[in-house]
């Protein structure tokens, strides 16, 4: 069998972007499985959620947003540390960049390697890669919960840590009055999960339990379309949980039987593909997903740092 093109390196076609207004001053930009971003209007300021991969890409998003509001960006909220989510931050001119305290630690520990890794995996997202001035450093961090008063009668925006999941430091942004949740990559709506830096057992259990307990009636996941209605929001959460549980079951079965990482990948691919194989970045993500879960089930508690060289080695071993 011929080896597949590395990760998303062959995915060079432009995606259609859709800007949705989910309520008064509540925005979400989706793009056919590319990373989602959003914004929330305060009385006299904006909170932006996620920063995209480069300042050039971020400025294109901001130009769309400026057709609806001219309020300045006071807060830029980053759900986690991955390069395609954070390296466009300089375009926002935000007074405050907010992230979980573990996210800041992860930037320090592995931010440079992740930058090189993700831009090689997804070159189309790295639009004008030379415009990135350097790593994005949060200026405000928290451990459990941070509340932003939006002013006037707009209520609060609650930034919440729900537990280890997609990374050690994922946060969600929750509008309790409007029941709108920006879930980051803890929930994907018909887009494959990337779990190469994940804690699969926590994510599939207590972390998603905590996300579901918020009771959202509209959810913006990390990728995919906006999910609307409580039943569909819960279904998206449970689809995410099912993907993780199938992985845990299949990789665990091969490990317990004394099999190999390659066998675990092939068995997991066969189990997931009928339901999830058509979803964006399924083939891209799965080798890295299975590799991390193999390590986790083998007692490696924290994810091994991905480098561009390690990416290629794992891809060659599994996707061939």
């Amino acid at each position: 069998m011929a080896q597949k093109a590395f990760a998303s390196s062959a995915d060079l076609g432009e995606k259609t972007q859709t800007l949705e207004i989910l309520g008064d001053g509540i925005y979400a930009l989706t793009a056919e499985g590319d990373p989602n971003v959003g914004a929330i209007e305060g009385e006299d300021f904006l909170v932006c959620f996620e920063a995209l991969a480069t300042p050039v890409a971020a400025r294109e998003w901001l130009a769309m947003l400026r057709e609806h509001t001219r309020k300045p960006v006071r807060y830029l909220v980053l759900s986690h540390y991955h390069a395609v989510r954070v390296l466009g931050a300089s375009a926002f001119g935000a007074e405050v960049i907010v992230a979980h305290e573990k996210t800041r630690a992860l930037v320090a520990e592995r931010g440079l390697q992740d930058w090189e890794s993700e831009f090689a995996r997804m070159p189309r997202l790295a639009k004008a890669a030379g415009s990135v001035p350097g790593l994005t450093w949060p200026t405000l961090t928290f451990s459990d919960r941070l509340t932003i008063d939006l002013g006037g009668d707009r209520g609060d925006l609650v930034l919440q840590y729900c537990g280890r999941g997609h990374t050690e430091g994922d946060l969600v942004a929750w509008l309790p009055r409007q029941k709108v949740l920006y879930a980051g990559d803890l929930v994907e709506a018909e887009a494959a999960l990337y779990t190469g830096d994940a804690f699969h057992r926590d994510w599939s259990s207590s972390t998603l339990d905590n996300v579901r307990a918020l009771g959202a009636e509209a959810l913006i996941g990390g990728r995919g379309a906006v999910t609307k209605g409580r039943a569909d929001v819960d279904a998206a959460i449970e689809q995410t949980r099912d993907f993780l549980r199938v992985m845990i079951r299949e990789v665990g079965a091969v490990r317990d039987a004394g099999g190999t990482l390659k066998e675990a990948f092939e068995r997991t691919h066969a189990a997931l593909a009928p339901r999830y194989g058509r979803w964006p970045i399924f083939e891209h993500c799965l080798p890295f997903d299975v590799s991390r879960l193999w390590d986790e089930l083998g007692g490696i508690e924290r994810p091994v740092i991905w480098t561009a060289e390690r990416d290629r080695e794992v891809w060659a071993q599994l996707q061939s």
Side-chain angles (χ1 to χ4, degrees):
M1 183 187 299
Q3 185 171 312
K4 297 180 175 69
F6 173 66
S8 289
S9 61
D11 181 9
L12 301 176
E14 288 298 318
K15 308 299 183 184
T16 299
Q17 295 182 321
T18 302
L19 177 60
E20 295 189 50
I21 302 175
L22 305 176
D24 182 19
I26 304 172
Y27 306 93
L29 184 71
T30 63
E32 297 185 304
D34 274 1
N36 295 337
V37 291
I40 303 107
E41 289 190 46
E43 184 176 23
D44 57 2
F45 63 90
L46 279 173
V47 181
C48 287
F49 188 77
E50 311 287 43
L52 295 175
T54 68
V56 168
R59 281 194 287 271
E60 292 176 357
W61 150 233
L62 288 168
M64 298 175 67
L65 183 61
R66 289 310 182 200
E67 295 178 6
H68 300 274
T69 175
R70 304 301 300 180
K71 294 174 182 176
V73 179
R74 182 175 298 172
Y75 299 96
L76 174 61
V77 176
L78 305 175
S79 69
H80 62 287
Y81 77 96
H82 285 152
V84 296
R85 300 290 184 181
V86 306
L87 291 181
S90 62
F92 291 81
E95 295 179 26
V96 182
I97 299 175
V98 188
H100 192 270
E101 62 186 15
K102 292 181 180 178
T103 291
R104 195 182 201 288
L106 287 163
V107 171
E109 179 188 49
R110 58 186 69 196
L112 285 172
Q113 296 95 324
D114 181 72
W115 180 354
E116 182 181 16
S117 167
E118 292 215 329
F119 278 28
R121 292 186 192 181
M122 297 171 278
R124 182 176 49 76
L125 298 183
K127 186 175 292 186
S131 65
V132 178
L135 291 173
T136 297
W137 294 99
T139 59
L140 175 64
T141 63
F142 66 96
S143 59
D144 296 312
R145 181 183 174 105
L146 177 70
T147 299
I148 296 172
D149 181 356
L150 296 174
D153 61 356
R154 292 182 174 273
D156 291 333
L157 175 66
V158 178
L159 307 181
Q160 181 78 39
Y161 180 65
C162 294
R164 299 189 303 183
H166 174 71
T167 72
E168 283 181 284
D170 297 83
L171 62 82
V172 301
W174 169 231
L175 290 161
R177 178 176 297 181
Q178 300 87 347
K179 296 191 179 300
V180 175
L181 179 67
Y182 294 83
D185 280 323
L186 287 176
V187 180
E188 308 288 13
E190 297 196 359
L193 305 187
Y194 175 65
T195 74
D197 296 300
F199 296 79
H200 296 76
R201 290 170 290 192
D202 287 5
W203 188 359
S204 64
S205 55
S206 57
T207 299
L208 284 178
D209 289 345
N210 290 334
V211 173
R212 182 165 178 159
L214 292 170
E217 295 179 2
L219 182 146
I220 304 94
R223 295 173 184 262
V226 175
T227 304
K228 300 172 185 175
R230 180 63 188 272
D232 286 345
V233 168
D234 287 349
I237 293 169
E238 294 312 311
Q239 286 175 357
T240 301
R241 195 193 309 268
D242 180 68
F243 192 106
L244 293 164
R245 285 181 170 173
V246 170
M247 286 184 60
I248 293 168
R249 182 188 73 216
E250 300 301 331
V251 175
V254 173
R255 255 198 168 280
D256 290 346
T260 66
L261 175 61
K262 176 71 169 178
E263 290 167 345
F265 173 76
E266 291 173 346
R267 178 165 170 163
T268 304
H269 189 287
L272 288 171
R275 183 176 185 189
Y276 303 110
R278 63 182 174 82
W279 288 8
I281 66 172
F282 176 78
E283 296 291 347
H284 167 161
C285 292
L286 199 62
F288 310 116
D289 295 353
V290 172
S291 179
R292 163 55 189 157
L293 180 54
W294 182 267
D295 286 350
E296 185 180 4
L297 296 180
I300 298 175
E301 177 66 12
R302 298 188 68 248
V304 178
I305 295 174
W306 291 103
T307 65
E309 294 76 19
R310 181 170 177 244
D311 288 353
R312 294 278 182 175
E313 290 169 2
V314 168
W315 187 266
Q317 181 182 5
L318 300 184
Q319 278 286 38
S320 61

